[in-house]
């Protein structure tokens, strides 16, 4: 991990109030103590959360003197862009740094009038999935809610466009960092944040069952995706050792409870890996797992990870999977990866900029 102006940042922030850590009430209090009227608090809150400015000078509707005293006593947190790579398909992959020098990646994917962001919830990941570039590197640390939210604001500001959807499919396991992930989702959803509809905010989990249950009880209509990758226990155990303790049977039951409770359709992600989970037997088990349940299956062509022994199955095989699933009444599509030329596709996110 590369330090990002760490000393400079730490020195500059010492003793100052981080505005991102304040509640609305604390904002009013702070401004009152500075002899300012209450509406200033609302204005500043908007700059911090909705507009995501990175300097007090950008708060153009505040008097210059107030901007100067804020700069003296407060900080704006936020992320620092270390690098950005642009794909031929318009996607941009960012390496972003936080105060302590930890870096993560996130991706912006534009299409028509939409802008989707793929955000990270942890720096690295401790789940150790065998086919995933992030998993092989291990966990550095979990991110805070602000650090997750700030990635999306950064992408929004860079494209200069409204973000229409966010998927927590970058680095890390969101349900191993549940509270921060939920905090970020709520702010992304809030009209005082980015105002993105809950259904357009998706969490992808490798299948941490107690958290799936918890998620099903949240009042918002957030979307859930579960990385399945095999409906055969021994195959899944080998591919995804981090969730070995949660059997497929328990996952099946938990997902049944989830759909009963929420009425929402979850997605199962299935990366086709040649010779591992693409056989007829695997397909039959997958059909059994999904048949008569509310779900959508995303067949993903495995993205090549350098040095890995796993390789993608043929395109024809992916089509076979979709056809067979459809024949038993299961909705399935093949998901096209974005940004493969810049290693921004699923499972390729690890700091490979340098
Ligand atoms: N930890 C969460 C979310 C981040 S991974 C999860 O596992 O669901 C985002 C998605 O990329 C998951 O579905 C994951 O299984 C998939 N993925 C990981 N490595 C991949 C690879 N090499 N090719 C294709 N998809 C991959
Ligand atoms: Fe972690 Fe998801 Fe990669 Fe598995 S696939 S190692 S859970 S990021």
């Amino acid at each position: 991990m590369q330090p990002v102006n760490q000393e400079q940042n730490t020195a500059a922030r010492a003793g100052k109030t981080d505005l991102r850590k304040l509640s609305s009430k604390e904002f009013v209090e702070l401004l009152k103590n500075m002899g300012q009227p209450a509406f200033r608090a609302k204005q500043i809150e908007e700059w911090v959360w909705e507009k995501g400015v990175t300097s007090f000078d950008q708060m153009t509707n505040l008097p210059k003197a107030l901007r100067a005293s804020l700069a003296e006593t407060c900080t704006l947190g936020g992320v620092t862009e270390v690098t950005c790579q642009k794909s031929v398909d318009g996607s941009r992959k960012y390496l972003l740094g936080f105060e302590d020098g930890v870096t993560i990646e996130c991706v912006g994917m534009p299409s028509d009038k939409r802008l989707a962001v793929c955000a990270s919830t942890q720096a690295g990941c401790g789940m150790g999935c065998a086919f995933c570039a992030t998993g092989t590197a291990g966990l550095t640390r979990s991110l805070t809610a602000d650090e997750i939210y700030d990635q999306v604001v950064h992408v929004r500001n860079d494209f200069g466009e409204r973000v229409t959807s966010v998927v927590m499919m970058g680095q890390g396991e969101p349900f191993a960092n549940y509270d921060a992930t939920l905090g970020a989702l709520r702010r992304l959803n809030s009209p005082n944040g980015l105002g993105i509809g809950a259904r357009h905010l998706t969490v992808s989990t490798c299948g941490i069952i107690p958290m799936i249950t918890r998620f099903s009880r949240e009042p918002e209509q957030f979307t859930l995706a579960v990385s399945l990758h095999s409906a055969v226990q021994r195959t899944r155990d080998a591919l995804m050792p981090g969730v070995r303790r949660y059997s497929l049977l328990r996952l099946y039951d938990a997902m049944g409870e989830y759909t009963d409770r929420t009425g929402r359709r979850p997605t199962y992600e299935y990366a086709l890996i040649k010779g591992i989970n693409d056989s007829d037997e695997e397909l039959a088990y997958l059909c059994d797992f999904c048949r008569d349940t509310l779900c959508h299956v995303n067949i993903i062509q495995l993205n090549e990870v350098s040095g890995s022994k796993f390789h993608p199955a043929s395109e024809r095989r992916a089509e076979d999977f979709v056809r067979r699933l459809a024949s038993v009444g299961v909705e399935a599509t093949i998901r096209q990866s974005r940004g493969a030329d810049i290693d921004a596709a699923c499972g390729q996110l690890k700091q490979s900029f340098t």
Side-chain angles (χ1 to χ4, degrees), residues 125-129 131-132 134-135 170-173 206 240:
C125 184
M127 305 308 291
C129 299
F131 49 85
C132 172
T134 311
Q171 292 172 8
E173 168 49 40
C206 58
M240 305 175 71

Side-chain angles (χ1 to χ4, degrees), residues 191-234:
N192 296 326
L194 294 192
I196 303 168
R199 285 162 193 266
H200 302 290
L201 298 171
T202 302
V203 173
S204 174
T205 178
C206 58
I208 299 179
I209 289 174
M211 298 302 149
I212 293 179
T213 307
R214 196 168 156 195
F215 195 64
S216 71
R217 298 195 174 123
E218 302 295 352
E220 296 89 349
Q221 309 228 304
F222 298 130
T223 298
L224 177 66
V226 173
S227 298
L228 188 59
H229 303 314
S230 177
V232 175
Q233 193 67 58
R234 66 171 187 285

